Amino acid sequence: MQLSPERCRPMSLTASEIKEACSANSDEMELLHGSNRLSSPEHVRRRVSGNSSAEGSPRICRQQSFGRDIGHAAAETYLITRLSFNLLGYLGVGYRWITRLLALACYAMLLMPGFLQVAYLYFFSSQVRRSIVYGGHPRNRLDLYLPPTNDGLKPVVVFVTGGAWIIGYKAWGSLLGLQLAERDIIVACLDYRNFPQGTISDMVSDAAQGISFVCNNISAFGGDPNRIYLMGQSAGAHISSCALFEQAIKESRRESISWSVSQIKAYFGLSGGYNLFNLVEHFHNRGLYRSIFLSIMEGEESFEQFSPEVRLKDLSVRKAAALLPYITLFHGSADYSIPPEASKTFTDALRAAEVKAELVMYKGKTHTDLFLQDPLRGGKDELFDHIVSMIHADDSYALRNDAVAPPRKRLVPEFLLKLAGKVSPF
């Protein structure tokens, strides 16, 4: 990857830090207090551009000590470890999960050369703004991945990570965020409450609030509020699709809203499941036991509410479906974590409701091939190229730059990637 860390860079942006740096600027204080909407987006865009130094560093950039960087890294590592033990605690530690844990440890060790490179950039790159607060609940944070240049407003991807609804975390999107930023695309990776800290309604609410924050405030960071794309992977695809549907239903009923579905140019669902009725037995057989799954999803009586595919059968939802953006679903044909049939049936349901939808199936790809192994491999990546081409479809200048962009750097040797694929528990 082309990103390089700098000594002067923005770290986790807390309210006190931004207040100290920007106390004289009422627009920035509006971002912190009151609603998510900036009072004058045009003015803020001019200010962000005008206050940049010759090297392109924003005014809120401050010198940070190496010791503080290590402190942030340690805190993030502790959280990831705690989430992993939470997962094990709720799934049990029987023979099946001991073997899966060992397989997961081997899988992570084999991919560690790539993970370490990505982690270094995540913690130390000047192009990453970590832990921006978007709401008042725990885990209401997002990471921003910014392109190296600030010449005009950039398209934006709001990304909701996966994690079996239990270990989802915003840093899981760092590889995607860093690589899309190289192509002049801003990425906002949302964190959200996981089970048992929250259940599915909390997760969907958090995702919707994070999307609202981005829609209303991204211009302050150089993003184009008219070119926002929503994307989710695995459980994140389920959560983000539920948030999108819920927002469309609110709009169709003329309820009060803080963001509009019309602000989302397209939705990308990667390896997701959209019908809980069809997934409960599958997950039970793979170790996400029925009792836990029902607790996460607030009981079987809530399955319909949190199954976008099923909701499309309700005639009262058809009016809301007409508000949905173009939807593209991506899935690997060898995905055993969430069967590819999940994306096929959802695409059929969307088309039956006259929603413009496309299904892209990748032959022989597993649940982690598309999101981890292929990006770590570097070079040409069909999924990555497809997403970038859709985002840049109306930008001839960006398309020309994409055509001559250097191949992405390989982060993990091929033999390690193949071994990781063999031992993957996913």
Side-chain angles (χ1 to χ4, degrees), residues 229-425:
Y229 299 80
L230 178 60
M231 181 176 179
Q233 187 264 341
S234 191
H238 170 248
I239 293 167
S240 56
S241 64
C242 287
L244 188 65
F245 266 63
E246 194 62 36
Q247 191 69 16
I249 291 170
K250 286 182 179 180
E251 286 188 46
S252 68
R253 295 172 179 170
R254 301 184 181 279
E255 296 180 18
S256 175
I257 56 174
S258 61
W259 62 283
S260 172
V261 171
S262 64
Q263 294 176 268
I264 308 299
K265 286 206 68 173
Y267 173 79
F268 306 132
L270 174 57
S271 307
Y274 312 95
N275 185 336
L276 299 181
F277 293 98
N278 294 342
L279 293 174
V280 59
E281 287 300 323
H282 173 80
F283 286 139
H284 180 78
N285 293 332
R286 288 189 60 82
L288 183 56
Y289 302 124
R290 187 195 320 275
S291 59
I292 301 169
F293 190 73
L294 290 175
S295 296
I296 295 171
M297 300 302 166
E298 301 173 6
E300 193 167 350
E301 62 273 15
S302 297
F303 276 14
E304 181 174 345
Q305 180 184 352
F306 297 108
S307 297
E309 178 184 321
V310 177
R311 299 195 81 173
L312 285 169
K313 298 176 182 178
D314 186 344
L315 293 179
S316 65
V317 177
R318 291 298 177 93
K319 182 180 178 182
L323 302 175
L324 294 173
Y326 191 90
I327 293 177
T328 304
L329 304 180
F330 305 95
H331 222 114
S333 64
D335 189 335
Y336 300 108
S337 293
I338 298 181
E341 191 66 24
S343 288
K344 292 179 182 177
T345 56
F346 188 35
T347 303
D348 292 341
L350 287 165
R351 289 171 176 169
E354 300 182 348
V355 177
K356 293 181 179 179
E358 175 187 8
L359 173 63
V360 181
M361 191 67 62
Y362 294 96
K363 186 176 180 180
K365 297 295 184 180
T366 67
H367 196 69
T368 55
D369 278 337
L370 294 173
F371 188 63
L372 275 179
Q373 282 99 295
D374 286 352
L376 289 170
R377 181 172 282 113
K380 184 175 177 57
D381 181 340
E382 287 185 87
L383 172 64
F384 180 83
D385 291 343
H386 196 140
I387 292 172
V388 171
S389 66
M390 292 184 69
I391 294 173
H392 287 161
D394 299 325
D395 188 338
S396 58
Y397 177 75
L399 289 174
R400 286 195 298 271
N401 286 340
D402 292 337
V404 298
R408 292 179 302 159
K409 177 185 175 183
R410 175 184 284 275
L411 301 178
V412 177
E414 186 63 27
F415 79 96
L416 290 180
L417 289 170
K418 289 183 177 179
L419 285 175
K422 296 289 186 182
V423 304
S424 172

Side-chain angles (χ1 to χ4, degrees), residues 58-253:
R59 181 165 62 89
I60 61 173
C61 176
R62 296 174 22 173
Q63 289 286 350
Q64 301 288 340
S65 69
F66 182 74
R68 182 172 181 181
D69 291 338
I70 294 298
H72 277 285
E76 301 280 358
T77 302
Y78 168 75
L79 177 58
I80 292 169
T81 304
R82 184 167 59 83
L83 290 173
S84 299
F85 278 102
N86 278 350
L87 177 62
L88 290 173
Y90 281 94
L91 293 178
V93 290
Y95 172 78
R96 177 185 296 181
W97 278 101
I98 290 175
T99 57
R100 285 186 180 274
L101 176 61
L102 292 174
L104 179 60
C106 291
Y107 177 78
M109 287 300 296
L110 290 167
L111 299 182
M112 192 58 67
F115 291 162
L116 290 175
Q117 294 176 69
V118 174
Y120 178 77
L121 291 171
Y122 176 72
F123 288 114
F124 302 113
S125 172
S126 63
Q127 292 167 231
V128 182
R129 309 271 187 94
R130 297 200 320 276
S131 296
I132 297 173
V133 178
Y134 69 76
H137 292 292
R139 305 284 297 279
N140 283 181
R141 307 289 187 272
L142 62 85
D143 294 330
L144 279 182
Y145 298 83
L146 304 176
T149 63
N150 59 356
D151 52 344
L153 298 178
K154 314 291 186 181
V156 181
V157 172
V158 181
F159 183 62
V160 184
T161 63
W165 300 276
I166 298 175
I167 58 168
Y169 186 51
K170 56 188 174 65
W172 300 164
S174 54
L175 180 57
L176 177 71
L178 290 165
Q179 292 183 337
L180 284 177
E182 292 178 5
R183 295 297 185 89
D184 234 21
I185 298 167
I186 294 175
V187 180
C189 288
L190 304 184
D191 207 4
Y192 54 89
R193 284 171 286 176
N194 283 209
F195 183 80
Q197 192 175 33
T199 54
I200 186 61
S201 60
D202 300 313
M203 302 175 203
V204 172
S205 174
D206 287 352
Q209 191 169 5
I211 297 167
S212 174
F213 180 90
V214 173
C215 287
N216 290 308
N217 298 315
I218 199 60
S219 59
F221 299 93
D224 188 345
N226 298 313
R227 288 189 294 167
I228 297 176
Y229 299 80
L230 178 60
M231 181 176 179
Q233 187 264 341
S234 191
H238 170 248
I239 293 167
S240 56
S241 64
C242 287
L244 188 65
F245 266 63
E246 194 62 36
Q247 191 69 16
I249 291 170
K250 286 182 179 180
E251 286 188 46
S252 68
R253 295 172 179 170

